[in-house]
Amino acid sequence: MATIRLGFGRQNFRLFKRSFLLLKLIAVVFAVLLFCEFLIYYLVIFRCNWPELKTPAYDGEQETLKPVLKAMFLADTHLLGEVRGHWLDKLRREWQMERAFQTALWLLQPEVVFILGDIFDEGKWSSSQAWADDVERFQKMFRHPPHVQLKVVVGNHDIGFHYHFVMVNSVALEGDGCNICSEAEAELIDISHKLNCSREELHSSQCADGQPLPRSAPVLLQHFPLYRRSDANCTGEDAAPPEERGTLFKERYDVLSREASQKLLWWLRPRLVLSGHTHSACEVLHGAGISEISVPSFSWRNRNNPSFIMGSMTSTEYALDKCYLPFESTILITYCGAAGFLVVLILIHSGFLDSPFIFGCQLLRKFKTV
């Protein structure tokens, strides 16, 4: 009878050890998933803060503070379609972007979000049904509260005005006389005319029609960068790789043509230009000190360290800062470290490897013997 009870006791102990091991494995997997798929976005984005304007934003003679607009700028999300997108790649990248965007909305509370083109990867050849499916996925990923505005600029992979911004369909600035190009140029000339009226550079008789625009210089938002030879002068951890910076850009493919760039700068005379398309960061000065910021890609498919721009804007001033998202390499290293830890746990439980406690005791005994 005692032998039978002893046998049952050993069997129960083995079952308890296996159950305890299973619980430990589940706990480790759950903790790693929670950290890598949720908490890491909060920990990283929590460090980002809205930039402060260098000078007090007063409104004319009344000495009242001008309202400061909190704007987020991101670019090149490249949602994969049914042609080139593997289901696992789509699932992973879209989950990352959704978590990053929703976390940024919750922590930073922007008033408006601008996406500077290439929202989709296959918009130029998608079927009607595929396009509708892609749009539905985009609306789910980048959902936002009613008080937050979301504005989208057309990019070459895709196919209004705010008082601070002019959003330009730079894809339509080929200059080849196509219908879209002609319409875009006509609208830009009309905007230029209104801006000149607001600056009081035209006779009042020429400015009688239409609602006047604010006197402040606009912020130009577009997908293609203005013309530059290359990224040779671009620096920073999210700039193009050193071996690619010297590659010459092709007009109308990598950047706008010289002619289109000069027209935009002459027509609009912006105080700031924000663009995307290159997937890498760069800051360039044009003409009379007009700054252009190239916004890096928001997708981990295009780079290891995505980011977005945070802007504090008034009608005359602006301040920009960059918010980096988690490095994908950090997430992969965490998963690899967790996998190694699980293997060690299983080996210890199976008896192929001594536990750290037993191994330490053995070392201590050997040390005392010596």
Side-chain angles (χ1 to χ4, degrees):
M1 181 67 69
T3 304
I4 294 174
R5 287 180 180 177
L6 183 61
F8 275 118
R10 288 177 179 174
Q11 186 176 3
N12 289 335
F13 181 70
R14 290 188 190 126
L15 289 173
F16 174 77
K17 283 185 66 178
R18 290 176 184 172
S19 300
F20 186 61
L21 173 65
L22 182 61
L23 287 175
K24 286 194 290 185
L25 295 179
I26 292 174
V28 170
V29 170
F30 177 78
V32 172
L33 285 173
L34 181 65
F35 175 76
C36 291
E37 304 302 331
F38 287 95
L39 296 181
I40 192 169
Y41 297 100
Y42 290 92
L43 294 173
V44 172
I45 298 176
F46 181 75
R47 300 178 298 178
C48 301
N49 295 298
W50 290 102
E52 295 184 1
L53 295 169
K54 294 181 181 179
T55 57
Y58 291 108
D59 189 9
E61 299 178 356
Q62 298 180 356
E63 295 294 315
T64 57
L65 285 174
K66 293 181 182 178
V68 178
L69 181 74
K70 294 180 178 179
M72 272 176 53
F73 303 91
L74 50 109
D76 296 279
T77 54
H78 282 273
L79 272 65
L80 294 172
E82 63 178 10
V83 178
R84 299 197 305 179
H86 187 275
W87 68 268
L88 183 59
D89 195 14
K90 287 169 61 176
L91 179 67
R92 178 64 185 156
R93 303 311 179 192
E94 291 178 11
W95 169 258
Q96 289 174 316
M97 288 190 285
E98 181 176 351
R99 291 313 321 147
F101 183 76
Q102 296 302 324
T103 304
L105 283 187
W106 190 79
L107 290 176
L108 302 176
Q109 299 290 310
E111 297 170 68
V112 61
V113 179
F114 294 98
I115 304 181
L116 305 182
D118 278 2
I119 292 88
F120 306 106
D121 196 61
E122 301 176 6
K124 56 187 177 182
W125 59 66
S126 290
S127 64
S128 298
Q129 183 58 49
W131 173 259
D133 293 341
D134 292 345
V135 170
E136 184 178 352
R137 285 171 26 238
F138 167 79
Q139 292 173 339
K140 174 183 175 295
M141 291 170 55
F142 293 94
R143 62 191 180 277
H144 53 89
H147 65 273
V148 178
Q149 296 187 58
L150 180 66
K151 304 291 186 181
V152 175
V153 178
V154 175
N156 60 299
H157 281 261
D158 310 315
I159 279 295
F161 292 100
H162 189 279
Y163 76 100
H164 286 309
F165 305 96
V166 173
M167 299 170 63
V168 173
N169 177 5
S170 53
V171 180
L173 296 178
E174 291 288 335
D176 56 2
C178 69
N179 290 335
I180 296 177
C181 300
S182 300
E183 290 175 6
E185 288 202 9
E187 290 180 6
L188 284 169
I189 291 172
D190 181 58
I191 295 162
S192 176
H193 175 81
K194 292 180 180 179
L195 287 171
N196 289 334
C197 288
S198 68
R199 298 175 182 129
E200 299 180 353
E201 296 179 358
L202 294 176
H203 193 273
S204 58
S205 62
Q206 298 176 275
C207 304
D209 298 331
Q211 183 72 22
L213 297 177
R215 298 183 62 178
S216 60
V219 174
L220 175 59
L221 306 178
Q222 58 183 27
H223 178 64
F224 281 105
L226 296 175
Y227 174 79
R228 61 177 183 260
R229 285 177 55 83
S230 67
D231 275 350
N233 296 323
C234 303
T235 57
E237 60 182 292
D238 54 353
E243 64 274 11
E244 297 179 8
R245 294 179 193 174
T247 305
L248 297 180
F249 285 148
K250 182 180 177 182
E251 294 184 47
R252 300 185 178 90
Y253 186 81
D254 299 307
V255 293
L256 288 180
S257 66
R258 288 176 185 263
E259 180 186 3
S261 301
Q262 291 170 357
K263 283 182 178 180
L264 284 174
L265 293 175
W266 182 64
W267 284 337
L268 304 176
R269 282 183 281 173
R271 53 187 164 126
L272 173 68
V273 181
L274 290 161
S275 59
H277 188 63
T278 64
H279 299 174
S280 301
C282 190
E283 183 170 359
V284 183
L285 289 179
H286 299 282
I290 299 173
S291 178
E292 178 182 7
I293 308 294
S294 288
V295 182
S297 174
F298 193 70
S299 173
W300 281 263
R301 193 170 187 260
N302 295 324
R303 57 183 312 108
N304 180 45
N305 57 339
S307 61
F308 59 89
I309 300 291
M310 303 167 60
S312 299
M313 325 285 292
T314 70
S315 58
T316 57
E317 302 288 336
Y318 69 86
L320 302 178
D321 203 357
K322 190 174 291 182
C323 183
Y324 287 95
L325 302 179
F327 280 53
E328 186 163 45
S329 55
T330 301
I331 296 175
L332 293 177
I333 290 171
T334 303
Y335 276 128
C336 290
F341 180 71
L342 292 176
V343 170
V344 170
L345 275 181
I346 294 172
L347 290 176
I348 291 173
H349 176 79
S350 304
F352 294 106
L353 190 67
D354 291 334
S355 70
F357 177 75
I358 296 175
F359 183 70
C361 290
Q362 290 175 346
L363 283 179
L364 188 61
R365 288 173 186 170
K366 290 182 180 178
F367 179 76
K368 288 181 178 179
T369 304
V370 174

